[in-house]
Amino acid sequence: MNFDYNSTRPKLILAEYGRNVQNMVDYICALPTKEERNRHAQVVIDMMGFLNPHLRDVADFKHKLWDHLHIISDFKIDVDSPYPIPDQNAIHPKPELLDYPQHRIRYKHYGHTIEKMIDRARKIADPEKKKSMTQAIANFMKMAYVTWNKDTVEDDLIIADLRELSNGELQLAPDVSLTKLDFKTPPPGSRTKGGAPQQNNNGKNKKPQKKKKKH
């Protein structure tokens, strides 16, 4: 006994029309004369419109049905279509290649954005604005360092890295105090599965007992 399973059948090209429509389209492709193929194709087009009534809301839905007929047949059906046959390459376009960044980041924990900010700050002519921008960049570098390393960092290290990344053009005084950042790990069990903080009852959520009236 031979069993017919979906896993052994050819893949449905347009699953919304079902297996029967695809079988009928395959049958039409095998008909010997174009007259028979045209007659049967019109019947299948009417059935496809009946199975997908939402296409009636689409502009020129008949054109859409004929395009789907060619797609289901894998563009092998030879019929007199009232519309141009769709381009097979336009139906399944290949995605464009992504341009991956090719630059090398010197300190990856700071990121490429820091390098762009440093290049921008080096071009500032106003000394006060340049100093303010340098301070802001150093604070951002400290925040990035603590985010990745999850530990405290001395301001001298950030200032030295900034000096190195800017080739000595952006410098801060050694006594400059950067923004204080502390990475604090949340205590275990402080949050529930849904993300809402747990409340420690300690008897606070108990309903107050009613006082007994003195007689």
Side-chain angles (χ1 to χ4, degrees), residues 107-171:
Y107 294 117
K108 293 185 179 181
H109 53 279
Y110 294 134
H112 181 60
T113 303
I114 281 292
E115 296 181 358
K116 295 174 67 175
M117 293 170 63
I118 290 174
D119 291 339
R120 184 69 178 271
R122 291 167 63 182
K123 300 176 183 178
I124 298 177
D126 189 342
E128 291 298 325
K129 290 184 178 180
K130 190 171 186 177
K131 181 179 179 181
S132 177
M133 184 68 174
T134 303
Q135 178 88 19
I137 292 174
N139 287 326
F140 189 86
M141 290 172 62
K142 186 175 182 179
M143 181 189 68
Y145 189 102
V146 172
T147 300
W148 283 103
N149 292 277
K150 297 179 175 56
D151 198 357
T152 57
V153 57
E154 297 294 334
D155 293 349
D156 294 341
L157 176 62
I158 300 298
I159 294 173
D161 289 345
L162 176 60
R163 186 187 310 114
E164 180 182 352
L165 290 172
S166 63
N167 295 326
E169 294 187 32
L170 302 181
Q171 299 191 30

Short mmCIF file of all heavy atoms in Angstrom, two decimals, residues 107-171:
data_model
loop_
_atom_site.label_atom_id
_atom_site.label_comp_id
_atom_site.label_asym_id
_atom_site.label_seq_id
_atom_site.Cartn_x
_atom_site.Cartn_y
_atom_site.Cartn_z
N TYR A 107 39.98 50.75 19.27
CA TYR A 107 39.45 50.26 20.55
C TYR A 107 37.98 49.93 20.33
O TYR A 107 37.13 50.81 20.28
CB TYR A 107 39.61 51.30 21.65
CG TYR A 107 41.05 51.61 22.02
CD1 TYR A 107 41.59 52.87 21.82
CD2 TYR A 107 41.86 50.62 22.56
CE1 TYR A 107 42.90 53.15 22.16
CE2 TYR A 107 43.16 50.89 22.90
CZ TYR A 107 43.69 52.16 22.70
OH TYR A 107 44.99 52.42 23.03
N LYS A 108 37.68 48.65 20.25
CA LYS A 108 36.32 48.23 19.91
C LYS A 108 35.33 48.53 21.01
O LYS A 108 34.13 48.68 20.74
CB LYS A 108 36.31 46.74 19.56
CG LYS A 108 37.07 46.42 18.29
CD LYS A 108 36.94 44.95 17.91
CE LYS A 108 37.69 44.66 16.62
NZ LYS A 108 37.58 43.24 16.20
N HIS A 109 35.79 48.60 22.28
CA HIS A 109 34.84 48.89 23.35
C HIS A 109 34.38 50.34 23.31
O HIS A 109 33.37 50.68 23.92
CB HIS A 109 35.45 48.56 24.72
CG HIS A 109 36.78 49.20 24.98
ND1 HIS A 109 37.95 48.67 24.48
CD2 HIS A 109 37.12 50.32 25.66
CE1 HIS A 109 38.97 49.44 24.86
NE2 HIS A 109 38.49 50.45 25.57
N TYR A 110 35.10 51.22 22.61
CA TYR A 110 34.63 52.59 22.42
C TYR A 110 33.75 52.71 21.17
O TYR A 110 32.85 53.54 21.13
CB TYR A 110 35.81 53.56 22.30
CG TYR A 110 36.62 53.70 23.57
CD1 TYR A 110 38.02 53.65 23.54
CD2 TYR A 110 36.01 53.89 24.80
CE1 TYR A 110 38.77 53.78 24.69
CE2 TYR A 110 36.76 54.01 25.96
CZ TYR A 110 38.14 53.96 25.90
OH TYR A 110 38.86 54.09 27.05
N GLY A 111 34.04 51.91 20.16
CA GLY A 111 33.23 51.93 18.94
C GLY A 111 33.73 52.93 17.91
O GLY A 111 34.57 53.80 18.18
N HIS A 112 33.18 52.81 16.72
CA HIS A 112 33.58 53.68 15.61
C HIS A 112 33.00 55.08 15.75
O HIS A 112 33.58 56.06 15.25
CB HIS A 112 33.13 53.07 14.28
CG HIS A 112 33.52 53.87 13.07
ND1 HIS A 112 34.83 54.14 12.76
CD2 HIS A 112 32.76 54.46 12.11
CE1 HIS A 112 34.87 54.86 11.65
NE2 HIS A 112 33.64 55.07 11.24
N THR A 113 31.87 55.19 16.46
CA THR A 113 31.26 56.52 16.64
C THR A 113 32.19 57.46 17.37
O THR A 113 32.27 58.65 17.06
CB THR A 113 29.93 56.38 17.39
OG1 THR A 113 29.07 55.50 16.68
CG2 THR A 113 29.25 57.73 17.54
N ILE A 114 32.92 56.95 18.36
CA ILE A 114 33.87 57.79 19.11
C ILE A 114 34.94 58.35 18.18
O ILE A 114 35.31 59.53 18.27
CB ILE A 114 34.50 56.96 20.25
CG1 ILE A 114 33.54 56.85 21.42
CG2 ILE A 114 35.81 57.60 20.72
CD1 ILE A 114 33.29 58.14 22.15
N GLU A 115 35.43 57.52 17.27
CA GLU A 115 36.46 57.99 16.34
C GLU A 115 35.92 59.09 15.44
O GLU A 115 36.63 60.06 15.13
CB GLU A 115 36.97 56.81 15.51
CG GLU A 115 37.67 55.73 16.34
CD GLU A 115 38.20 54.59 15.50
OE1 GLU A 115 37.98 54.63 14.27
OE2 GLU A 115 38.81 53.67 16.06
N LYS A 116 34.66 58.96 15.02
CA LYS A 116 34.06 60.02 14.19
C LYS A 116 33.87 61.30 15.01
O LYS A 116 34.07 62.40 14.49
CB LYS A 116 32.72 59.53 13.64
CG LYS A 116 32.85 58.36 12.66
CD LYS A 116 31.50 57.82 12.25
CE LYS A 116 30.73 58.81 11.43
NZ LYS A 116 29.44 58.22 10.93
N MET A 117 33.48 61.16 16.28
CA MET A 117 33.33 62.34 17.14
C MET A 117 34.67 63.03 17.36
O MET A 117 34.75 64.27 17.38
CB MET A 117 32.71 61.92 18.47
CG MET A 117 31.27 61.42 18.36
SD MET A 117 30.66 60.67 19.88
CE MET A 117 30.72 62.05 21.00
N ILE A 118 35.72 62.24 17.53
CA ILE A 118 37.05 62.82 17.73
C ILE A 118 37.50 63.58 16.48
O ILE A 118 38.05 64.69 16.56
CB ILE A 118 38.05 61.71 18.11
CG1 ILE A 118 37.75 61.20 19.52
CG2 ILE A 118 39.48 62.22 18.03
CD1 ILE A 118 38.58 60.01 19.93
N ASP A 119 37.28 62.99 15.30
CA ASP A 119 37.64 63.68 14.05
C ASP A 119 36.87 64.99 13.91
O ASP A 119 37.41 65.99 13.42
CB ASP A 119 37.36 62.77 12.85
CG ASP A 119 38.31 61.58 12.80
OD1 ASP A 119 39.39 61.67 13.41
OD2 ASP A 119 37.96 60.56 12.17
N ARG A 120 35.62 64.99 14.33
CA ARG A 120 34.81 66.22 14.26
C ARG A 120 35.33 67.26 15.25
O ARG A 120 35.41 68.45 14.92
CB ARG A 120 33.35 65.87 14.55
CG ARG A 120 32.39 67.04 14.42
CD ARG A 120 32.25 67.49 12.98
NE ARG A 120 31.31 68.57 12.86
CZ ARG A 120 30.00 68.40 12.66
NH1 ARG A 120 29.51 67.16 12.56
NH2 ARG A 120 29.21 69.44 12.52
N ALA A 121 35.70 66.81 16.45
CA ALA A 121 36.18 67.76 17.46
C ALA A 121 37.53 68.36 17.07
O ALA A 121 37.82 69.51 17.41
CB ALA A 121 36.28 67.06 18.81
N ARG A 122 38.34 67.61 16.38
CA ARG A 122 39.67 68.11 15.98
C ARG A 122 39.56 69.27 14.99
O ARG A 122 40.48 70.08 14.86
CB ARG A 122 40.47 66.98 15.35
CG ARG A 122 40.88 65.91 16.36
CD ARG A 122 41.38 64.65 15.69
NE ARG A 122 42.59 64.87 14.90
CZ ARG A 122 43.21 63.93 14.19
NH1 ARG A 122 42.71 62.69 14.17
NH2 ARG A 122 44.30 64.21 13.52
N LYS A 123 38.43 69.38 14.30
CA LYS A 123 38.25 70.43 13.30
C LYS A 123 37.61 71.69 13.88
O LYS A 123 37.43 72.67 13.15
CB LYS A 123 37.39 69.91 12.15
CG LYS A 123 38.01 68.70 11.43
CD LYS A 123 37.08 68.16 10.37
CE LYS A 123 37.67 66.91 9.70
NZ LYS A 123 36.74 66.35 8.68
N ILE A 124 37.23 71.67 15.15
CA ILE A 124 36.60 72.83 15.77
C ILE A 124 37.66 73.90 16.01
O ILE A 124 38.70 73.63 16.64
CB ILE A 124 35.90 72.45 17.08
CG1 ILE A 124 34.78 71.43 16.80
CG2 ILE A 124 35.33 73.68 17.78
CD1 ILE A 124 34.08 70.93 18.05
N ALA A 125 37.38 75.11 15.55
CA ALA A 125 38.35 76.22 15.69
C ALA A 125 38.21 76.94 17.02
O ALA A 125 39.21 77.39 17.59
CB ALA A 125 38.18 77.21 14.53
N ASP A 126 37.01 77.08 17.53
CA ASP A 126 36.78 77.80 18.78
C ASP A 126 37.35 76.99 19.94
O ASP A 126 36.93 75.85 20.18
CB ASP A 126 35.28 78.01 18.98
CG ASP A 126 34.98 78.95 20.14
OD1 ASP A 126 35.87 79.15 21.00
OD2 ASP A 126 33.85 79.47 20.21
N PRO A 127 38.30 77.54 20.71
CA PRO A 127 38.92 76.77 21.81
C PRO A 127 37.92 76.35 22.88
O PRO A 127 38.03 75.23 23.41
CB PRO A 127 39.96 77.75 22.38
CG PRO A 127 40.22 78.73 21.28
CD PRO A 127 38.93 78.85 20.54
N GLU A 128 36.96 77.23 23.22
CA GLU A 128 36.00 76.88 24.26
C GLU A 128 35.08 75.73 23.81
O GLU A 128 34.81 74.80 24.57
CB GLU A 128 35.17 78.11 24.64
CG GLU A 128 35.96 79.19 25.37
CD GLU A 128 36.49 78.67 26.70
OE1 GLU A 128 35.78 77.86 27.35
OE2 GLU A 128 37.60 79.07 27.10
N LYS A 129 34.60 75.82 22.57
CA LYS A 129 33.75 74.75 22.05
C LYS A 129 34.53 73.44 21.94
O LYS A 129 34.01 72.36 22.21
CB LYS A 129 33.18 75.15 20.69
CG LYS A 129 32.14 76.26 20.75
CD LYS A 129 31.56 76.52 19.37
CE LYS A 129 30.47 77.60 19.44
NZ LYS A 129 29.89 77.88 18.10
N LYS A 130 35.80 73.55 21.54
CA LYS A 130 36.63 72.36 21.40
C LYS A 130 36.86 71.71 22.76
O LYS A 130 36.82 70.48 22.89
CB LYS A 130 37.96 72.74 20.76
CG LYS A 130 38.81 71.56 20.35
CD LYS A 130 40.00 72.01 19.52
CE LYS A 130 40.78 70.82 18.98
NZ LYS A 130 41.91 71.26 18.12
N LYS A 131 37.07 72.53 23.79
CA LYS A 131 37.27 72.00 25.13
C LYS A 131 36.01 71.32 25.65
O LYS A 131 36.06 70.24 26.25
CB LYS A 131 37.69 73.14 26.06
CG LYS A 131 37.95 72.69 27.48
CD LYS A 131 38.38 73.87 28.35
CE LYS A 131 38.61 73.43 29.79
NZ LYS A 131 39.01 74.59 30.65
N SER A 132 34.85 71.96 25.40
CA SER A 132 33.59 71.38 25.84
C SER A 132 33.31 70.07 25.11
O SER A 132 32.84 69.09 25.72
CB SER A 132 32.46 72.38 25.59
OG SER A 132 31.21 71.83 25.94
N MET A 133 33.60 70.03 23.81
CA MET A 133 33.40 68.82 23.03
C MET A 133 34.33 67.70 23.51
O MET A 133 33.94 66.54 23.61
CB MET A 133 33.64 69.11 21.55
CG MET A 133 33.35 67.94 20.63
SD MET A 133 31.60 67.53 20.57
CE MET A 133 31.59 66.26 19.31
N THR A 134 35.57 68.06 23.83
CA THR A 134 36.53 67.07 24.33
C THR A 134 36.06 66.47 25.64
O THR A 134 36.16 65.26 25.87
CB THR A 134 37.91 67.73 24.51
OG1 THR A 134 38.34 68.29 23.25
CG2 THR A 134 38.93 66.71 24.97
N GLN A 135 35.53 67.32 26.54
CA GLN A 135 35.01 66.83 27.82
C GLN A 135 33.84 65.87 27.60
O GLN A 135 33.75 64.83 28.25
CB GLN A 135 34.57 68.02 28.67
CG GLN A 135 33.98 67.65 30.01
CD GLN A 135 35.03 67.52 31.10
OE1 GLN A 135 36.13 68.04 30.94
NE2 GLN A 135 34.69 66.84 32.17
N ALA A 136 32.95 66.23 26.66
CA ALA A 136 31.79 65.38 26.38
C ALA A 136 32.22 64.04 25.80
O ALA A 136 31.67 62.98 26.15
CB ALA A 136 30.84 66.09 25.43
N ILE A 137 33.22 64.06 24.93
CA ILE A 137 33.71 62.81 24.34
C ILE A 137 34.32 61.91 25.41
O ILE A 137 34.11 60.69 25.44
CB ILE A 137 34.73 63.11 23.22
CG1 ILE A 137 34.02 63.77 22.03
CG2 ILE A 137 35.44 61.84 22.77
CD1 ILE A 137 34.97 64.23 20.94
N ALA A 138 35.09 62.51 26.33
CA ALA A 138 35.71 61.74 27.39
C ALA A 138 34.64 61.10 28.28
O ALA A 138 34.77 59.93 28.68
CB ALA A 138 36.63 62.63 28.22
N ASN A 139 33.58 61.83 28.59
CA ASN A 139 32.49 61.25 29.40
C ASN A 139 31.81 60.10 28.67
O ASN A 139 31.45 59.09 29.27
CB ASN A 139 31.48 62.34 29.74
CG ASN A 139 31.99 63.32 30.79
OD1 ASN A 139 32.75 62.95 31.68
ND2 ASN A 139 31.59 64.57 30.68
N PHE A 140 31.64 60.28 27.34
CA PHE A 140 31.02 59.21 26.55
C PHE A 140 31.92 57.98 26.51
O PHE A 140 31.44 56.84 26.58
CB PHE A 140 30.73 59.72 25.14
CG PHE A 140 29.92 58.78 24.31
CD1 PHE A 140 28.54 58.80 24.36
CD2 PHE A 140 30.53 57.85 23.48
CE1 PHE A 140 27.77 57.92 23.60
CE2 PHE A 140 29.78 56.97 22.72
CZ PHE A 140 28.40 57.01 22.77
N MET A 141 33.23 58.19 26.40
CA MET A 141 34.17 57.07 26.39
C MET A 141 34.13 56.32 27.72
O MET A 141 34.19 55.09 27.76
CB MET A 141 35.58 57.58 26.11
CG MET A 141 35.79 58.08 24.69
SD MET A 141 37.40 58.88 24.46
CE MET A 141 38.51 57.53 24.81
N LYS A 142 34.00 57.06 28.80
CA LYS A 142 33.93 56.42 30.12
C LYS A 142 32.65 55.59 30.25
O LYS A 142 32.68 54.46 30.78
CB LYS A 142 34.00 57.48 31.21
CG LYS A 142 34.07 56.90 32.62
CD LYS A 142 34.26 57.99 33.66
CE LYS A 142 34.37 57.39 35.06
NZ LYS A 142 34.58 58.42 36.10
N MET A 143 31.55 56.13 29.75
CA MET A 143 30.30 55.39 29.79
C MET A 143 30.40 54.11 28.96
O MET A 143 29.95 53.04 29.39
CB MET A 143 29.15 56.26 29.28
CG MET A 143 27.79 55.57 29.32
SD MET A 143 26.50 56.51 28.49
CE MET A 143 27.07 56.41 26.79
N ALA A 144 31.00 54.18 27.76
CA ALA A 144 31.16 53.00 26.91
C ALA A 144 32.07 51.98 27.57
O ALA A 144 31.83 50.77 27.50
CB ALA A 144 31.71 53.41 25.54
N TYR A 145 33.13 52.44 28.21
CA TYR A 145 34.06 51.53 28.88
C TYR A 145 33.36 50.76 30.00
O TYR A 145 33.48 49.54 30.11
CB TYR A 145 35.24 52.33 29.44
CG TYR A 145 36.38 51.49 29.97
CD1 TYR A 145 37.53 51.31 29.22
CD2 TYR A 145 36.31 50.87 31.21
CE1 TYR A 145 38.58 50.53 29.69
CE2 TYR A 145 37.35 50.09 31.70
CZ TYR A 145 38.49 49.92 30.93
OH TYR A 145 39.51 49.14 31.41
N VAL A 146 32.60 51.49 30.83
CA VAL A 146 31.91 50.85 31.94
C VAL A 146 30.82 49.91 31.43
O VAL A 146 30.56 48.85 32.02
CB VAL A 146 31.33 51.91 32.89
CG1 VAL A 146 30.45 51.28 33.95
CG2 VAL A 146 32.45 52.71 33.54
N THR A 147 30.18 50.26 30.30
CA THR A 147 29.12 49.41 29.76
C THR A 147 29.66 48.05 29.34
O THR A 147 29.03 47.02 29.59
CB THR A 147 28.46 50.10 28.56
OG1 THR A 147 27.88 51.34 28.98
CG2 THR A 147 27.36 49.22 27.96
N TRP A 148 30.84 48.04 28.71
CA TRP A 148 31.39 46.78 28.22
C TRP A 148 32.15 46.02 29.29
O TRP A 148 32.11 44.80 29.35
CB TRP A 148 32.33 47.06 27.03
CG TRP A 148 31.58 47.34 25.77
CD1 TRP A 148 31.37 48.55 25.18
CD2 TRP A 148 30.90 46.39 24.95
NE1 TRP A 148 30.61 48.42 24.05
CE2 TRP A 148 30.31 47.10 23.87
CE3 TRP A 148 30.73 45.01 25.00
CZ2 TRP A 148 29.56 46.47 22.88
CZ3 TRP A 148 29.99 44.39 24.01
CH2 TRP A 148 29.42 45.12 22.96
N ASN A 149 32.87 46.72 30.16
CA ASN A 149 33.71 46.05 31.15
C ASN A 149 33.01 45.85 32.48
O ASN A 149 33.48 45.08 33.31
CB ASN A 149 35.00 46.86 31.37
CG ASN A 149 35.90 46.84 30.14
OD1 ASN A 149 36.65 45.91 29.93
ND2 ASN A 149 35.81 47.88 29.33
N LYS A 150 31.89 46.57 32.69
CA LYS A 150 31.10 46.42 33.92
C LYS A 150 31.99 46.54 35.15
O LYS A 150 31.90 45.76 36.10
CB LYS A 150 30.36 45.08 33.91
CG LYS A 150 29.35 44.96 32.78
CD LYS A 150 28.66 43.60 32.80
CE LYS A 150 27.57 43.52 31.74
NZ LYS A 150 28.01 43.78 30.39
N ASP A 151 32.86 47.53 35.12
CA ASP A 151 33.75 47.77 36.25
C ASP A 151 34.11 49.25 36.24
O ASP A 151 33.91 49.95 35.24
CB ASP A 151 35.02 46.90 36.11
CG ASP A 151 35.76 46.77 37.42
OD1 ASP A 151 35.32 47.38 38.40
OD2 ASP A 151 36.78 46.05 37.46
N THR A 152 34.64 49.71 37.33
CA THR A 152 35.04 51.12 37.39
C THR A 152 36.32 51.31 36.58
O THR A 152 37.09 50.38 36.34
CB THR A 152 35.27 51.53 38.85
OG1 THR A 152 36.26 50.66 39.43
CG2 THR A 152 33.98 51.45 39.64
N VAL A 153 36.56 52.54 36.17
CA VAL A 153 37.75 52.86 35.39
C VAL A 153 38.26 54.21 35.86
O VAL A 153 37.49 55.12 36.17
CB VAL A 153 37.41 52.90 33.88
CG1 VAL A 153 36.30 53.89 33.57
CG2 VAL A 153 38.64 53.21 33.05
N GLU A 154 39.58 54.33 35.91
CA GLU A 154 40.19 55.58 36.32
C GLU A 154 40.09 56.61 35.20
O GLU A 154 40.19 56.27 34.02
CB GLU A 154 41.66 55.35 36.68
CG GLU A 154 41.87 54.42 37.86
CD GLU A 154 41.33 55.02 39.15
OE1 GLU A 154 41.26 56.26 39.25
OE2 GLU A 154 40.97 54.24 40.05
N ASP A 155 39.90 57.87 35.59
CA ASP A 155 39.80 58.93 34.59
C ASP A 155 41.09 59.08 33.80
O ASP A 155 41.07 59.46 32.62
CB ASP A 155 39.45 60.26 35.27
CG ASP A 155 38.05 60.25 35.86
OD1 ASP A 155 37.29 59.30 35.55
OD2 ASP A 155 37.70 61.18 36.61
N ASP A 156 42.24 58.78 34.42
CA ASP A 156 43.52 58.92 33.74
C ASP A 156 43.59 58.00 32.51
O ASP A 156 44.15 58.37 31.47
CB ASP A 156 44.67 58.58 34.69
CG ASP A 156 44.79 59.59 35.83
OD1 ASP A 156 44.23 60.70 35.67
OD2 ASP A 156 45.42 59.27 36.85
N LEU A 157 42.99 56.80 32.62
CA LEU A 157 43.00 55.88 31.47
C LEU A 157 42.17 56.43 30.32
O LEU A 157 42.59 56.36 29.16
CB LEU A 157 42.47 54.51 31.91
CG LEU A 157 42.33 53.46 30.80
CD1 LEU A 157 43.68 53.14 30.18
CD2 LEU A 157 41.68 52.19 31.33
N ILE A 158 41.00 56.98 30.61
CA ILE A 158 40.15 57.55 29.56
C ILE A 158 40.85 58.72 28.89
O ILE A 158 40.85 58.85 27.65
CB ILE A 158 38.81 57.98 30.16
CG1 ILE A 158 38.07 56.80 30.79
CG2 ILE A 158 37.94 58.64 29.10
CD1 ILE A 158 37.71 55.70 29.84
N ILE A 159 41.48 59.59 29.70
CA ILE A 159 42.17 60.76 29.15
C ILE A 159 43.34 60.32 28.27
O ILE A 159 43.58 60.90 27.20
CB ILE A 159 42.64 61.67 30.30
CG1 ILE A 159 41.42 62.26 31.03
CG2 ILE A 159 43.52 62.79 29.76
CD1 ILE A 159 41.78 63.03 32.29
N ALA A 160 44.06 59.29 28.69
CA ALA A 160 45.18 58.79 27.89
C ALA A 160 44.70 58.18 26.59
O ALA A 160 45.31 58.39 25.52
CB ALA A 160 45.98 57.77 28.71
N ASP A 161 43.60 57.41 26.62
CA ASP A 161 43.06 56.82 25.39
C ASP A 161 42.56 57.91 24.43
O ASP A 161 42.73 57.80 23.21
CB ASP A 161 41.92 55.86 25.72
CG ASP A 161 42.41 54.58 26.39
OD1 ASP A 161 43.63 54.32 26.33
OD2 ASP A 161 41.58 53.85 26.96
N LEU A 162 41.96 58.95 24.99
CA LEU A 162 41.49 60.06 24.15
C LEU A 162 42.66 60.76 23.49
O LEU A 162 42.61 61.12 22.31
CB LEU A 162 40.69 61.04 25.00
CG LEU A 162 40.20 62.32 24.30
CD1 LEU A 162 39.30 61.98 23.12
CD2 LEU A 162 39.45 63.22 25.29
N ARG A 163 43.73 60.94 24.23
CA ARG A 163 44.93 61.58 23.67
C ARG A 163 45.50 60.73 22.54
O ARG A 163 45.93 61.25 21.50
CB ARG A 163 45.96 61.79 24.77
CG ARG A 163 47.20 62.59 24.32
CD ARG A 163 48.28 62.63 25.39
NE ARG A 163 47.74 63.04 26.67
CZ ARG A 163 47.67 62.25 27.74
NH1 ARG A 163 48.11 61.00 27.65
NH2 ARG A 163 47.18 62.69 28.88
N GLU A 164 45.51 59.41 22.73
CA GLU A 164 46.06 58.52 21.71
C GLU A 164 45.19 58.49 20.47
O GLU A 164 45.70 58.54 19.33
CB GLU A 164 46.21 57.11 22.28
CG GLU A 164 46.80 56.12 21.29
CD GLU A 164 46.88 54.71 21.88
OE1 GLU A 164 46.62 54.56 23.08
OE2 GLU A 164 47.20 53.78 21.11
N LEU A 165 43.87 58.40 20.64
CA LEU A 165 42.97 58.33 19.50
C LEU A 165 42.97 59.62 18.68
O LEU A 165 42.71 59.60 17.47
CB LEU A 165 41.55 58.02 19.97
CG LEU A 165 41.32 56.60 20.52
CD1 LEU A 165 39.93 56.48 21.13
CD2 LEU A 165 41.47 55.56 19.40
N SER A 166 43.24 60.74 19.33
CA SER A 166 43.24 62.03 18.63
C SER A 166 44.64 62.45 18.20
O SER A 166 44.83 63.60 17.77
CB SER A 166 42.64 63.11 19.53
OG SER A 166 43.43 63.29 20.70
N ASN A 167 45.61 61.55 18.34
CA ASN A 167 47.00 61.86 17.99
C ASN A 167 47.51 63.09 18.75
O ASN A 167 48.26 63.91 18.21
CB ASN A 167 47.15 62.09 16.48
CG ASN A 167 46.87 60.83 15.69
OD1 ASN A 167 47.17 59.72 16.14
ND2 ASN A 167 46.28 60.97 14.50
N GLY A 168 47.10 63.18 20.01
CA GLY A 168 47.59 64.26 20.87
C GLY A 168 46.90 65.59 20.70
O GLY A 168 47.29 66.58 21.36
N GLU A 169 45.87 65.68 19.84
CA GLU A 169 45.23 66.97 19.59
C GLU A 169 44.14 67.29 20.62
O GLU A 169 43.83 68.45 20.86
CB GLU A 169 44.63 66.99 18.18
CG GLU A 169 45.68 66.92 17.07
CD GLU A 169 45.06 67.11 15.69
OE1 GLU A 169 44.07 67.84 15.60
OE2 GLU A 169 45.57 66.51 14.73
N LEU A 170 43.53 66.28 21.22
CA LEU A 170 42.49 66.48 22.23
C LEU A 170 43.04 66.02 23.56
O LEU A 170 43.25 64.82 23.78
CB LEU A 170 41.22 65.72 21.87
CG LEU A 170 40.56 66.05 20.53
CD1 LEU A 170 39.30 65.22 20.33
CD2 LEU A 170 40.24 67.54 20.41
N GLN A 171 43.27 66.99 24.45
CA GLN A 171 43.85 66.66 25.73
C GLN A 171 43.06 67.33 26.84
O GLN A 171 42.53 68.43 26.67
CB GLN A 171 45.32 67.09 25.81
CG GLN A 171 46.22 66.42 24.77
CD GLN A 171 47.69 66.65 25.04
OE1 GLN A 171 48.09 66.82 26.20
NE2 GLN A 171 48.49 66.67 23.99
#
